[in-house]
Amino acid sequence: MNATRNTVLEAWMAENGHSSNSLADAVNGALERLTGRPGGLDGSSIRSWKAGRVKWPKSATRKALEDVTGLPAVALGFIPRGRASLTSPPRQGDPDMKRRTLVGGIAAVAAAAAAPGASPRRIGMSDVDRLQARFTEVIASDQRHGGQLSAQQRAAALAGEALHLQNAGSATQRVRNSLYACAASFLSSAMWAAIDSRRYDDAKGHMREAQALAELSGDQAIKFRIWSHAGTMYRHMGRPADALAANDVARNLNITRRDPLFASLGHARQAATLGLTGDTAAVQRALGCAQDALDRADPGLARPVWMTAVRNGAELETLALAAHFRLGNFERAETHAHRSLALLRPQMRRDRAINTARLAAAQLGQGDIEQAVATAMKVPADVATQHARVTRMLQEFGAALRATTPGSPTAQIWTEHTRDAWRTPA
């Protein structure tokens, strides 16, 4: 007689993102916690479950599976031995009768919960995937527009949506950890939007919430992002000691030892902060470490979407530009500016505008007045007027230009450009 496939188990695995091997590993871990001995399951064991060749796993294995999934075995499509169907009455002498009766009741409740309008529902990896797709949209919006208040509010609202799912139904621990990671990711983006627009009180509030959620998730990548953003925030606030301390927390996370690309970003952001201290040798050492780590990074590894500019070295060049500009090494800053602009993807309009403004300021610092103005005029008017950091940088550029060549035709060209190109439509 041919075995009947366990399509219920297959559906649960697909919903929760498990392969045969990953479920085997998870159940083996649960078995070790239950019995003190490692489990012996492998991918072929799980495939036998899915094929229906094993209809009722051994008792310890069932308990471990139930711990992993949060569901009774019968709700996962398994059929107790000696039963033709789940509705067959248990034998009165069966020592497992009470347990089977209870399990049958739970299965009935689970089936009822799947009916329209029933509550609570089952939260799975498809819910996490949907949130992660929204996070990708948030990152794309940030790259185009930067730290708008609307972006900050949207990211915070999505964090609330992720947390709401924690209480909206039952879920495995893996799904719950992923939901906490999603919420922390959204709040880290809200934090970044606030930093980008110089709303530092908002940024600190988002940071505290994001750090707590990241701890609940256990996600090293999002912990790194939050602490790295904290370092950037303190750098922008002119607090280099706090910035260096926050960067050190990020750089000491295990993920920087597992993946050199994270180590590269950590060293590069440390270099940008060291630029505030005037320590040229320390900046050079940090940038050297960042480049070495970037060279060692495996380009084929899957990484978070916010690491896009780190992969090809654009972020390293951007932070090297910031470090040398702060040191007053304008020639070196200009070199890194050109490199960063060549590497940044077209959709990264915010970063491109910031680096163009810094390039203009570096050219002005070298006395190349006409070229500096021509460069500054390349910043799109919408970014120049709607992004707080870019607006401030160009205002500082204009002030330095007027101080360098007061009343000159070149300074007048810049004044007319800002008056005409930046005029807000009526």
Side-chain angles (χ1 to χ4, degrees), residues 211-293:
Q211 286 168 338
L213 292 169
E215 288 300 322
L216 290 172
S217 76
D219 189 306
Q220 288 268 311
I222 197 56
K223 288 183 187 181
F224 179 95
R225 188 182 196 222
I226 294 162
W227 280 106
S228 191
H229 280 350
T232 301
M233 177 181 71
Y234 291 128
R235 170 161 58 91
H236 289 336
M237 295 173 69
R239 294 164 54 179
D242 292 332
L244 291 171
N247 287 336
D248 280 340
V249 175
R251 295 192 308 138
N252 288 326
L253 290 169
N254 287 335
I255 196 167
T256 63
R257 291 183 282 279
R258 296 200 308 265
D259 188 346
L261 196 64
F262 283 87
S264 176
L265 180 57
H267 288 306
R269 286 192 168 157
Q270 195 79 325
T273 300
L274 288 166
L276 295 176
T277 70
D279 191 337
T280 301
V283 167
Q284 291 290 73
R285 283 195 299 272
L287 290 176
C289 290
Q291 185 62 61
D292 289 344

Side-chain angles (χ1 to χ4, degrees), residues 32-48:
E32 185 169 11
R33 289 189 292 273
L34 283 170
T35 66
R37 298 186 302 276
L41 300 174
D42 57 18
S44 64
S45 306
I46 308 303
R47 287 190 287 275
S48 291

Side-chain angles (χ1 to χ4, degrees), residues 18-71:
H18 270 298
S19 66
S20 295
N21 288 331
S22 70
L23 182 57
D25 290 341
V27 175
N28 283 337
L31 271 167
E32 185 169 11
R33 289 189 292 273
L34 283 170
T35 66
R37 298 186 302 276
L41 300 174
D42 57 18
S44 64
S45 306
I46 308 303
R47 287 190 287 275
S48 291
W49 293 357
K50 292 193 295 183
R53 291 191 292 273
V54 175
K55 296 184 180 299
W56 192 242
K58 294 179 180 178
S59 58
T61 304
R62 289 199 312 274
K63 180 62 172 66
L65 177 63
E66 290 169 353
D67 287 347
V68 169
T69 63
L71 291 172

Side-chain angles (χ1 to χ4, degrees), residues 249-377:
V249 175
R251 295 192 308 138
N252 288 326
L253 290 169
N254 287 335
I255 196 167
T256 63
R257 291 183 282 279
R258 296 200 308 265
D259 188 346
L261 196 64
F262 283 87
S264 176
L265 180 57
H267 288 306
R269 286 192 168 157
Q270 195 79 325
T273 300
L274 288 166
L276 295 176
T277 70
D279 191 337
T280 301
V283 167
Q284 291 290 73
R285 283 195 299 272
L287 290 176
C289 290
Q291 185 62 61
D292 289 344
L294 180 64
D295 291 341
R296 290 186 284 108
D298 182 352
L301 286 180
R303 296 183 177 92
V305 65
W306 52 268
M307 292 284 283
T308 299
V310 186
R311 290 174 178 270
N312 68 347
E315 186 74 359
L316 173 54
E317 296 296 341
T318 293
L319 292 165
L321 159 61
H324 283 291
F325 184 81
R326 290 295 182 186
L327 290 171
N329 297 335
F330 298 125
E331 186 174 352
R332 294 289 300 276
E334 180 176 5
T335 298
H336 288 293
H338 286 299
R339 289 176 182 170
S340 70
L341 290 169
L343 291 169
L344 285 171
R345 297 183 178 183
Q347 66 267 30
M348 303 184 77
R349 298 181 76 237
R350 185 271 315 280
D351 287 357
R352 185 170 293 278
I354 288 173
N355 290 359
T356 300
R358 281 206 182 111
L359 171 58
Q363 291 168 336
L364 181 62
Q366 296 173 78
D368 195 350
I369 310 300
E370 288 78 11
Q371 183 59 57
V373 170
T375 298
M377 290 171 65

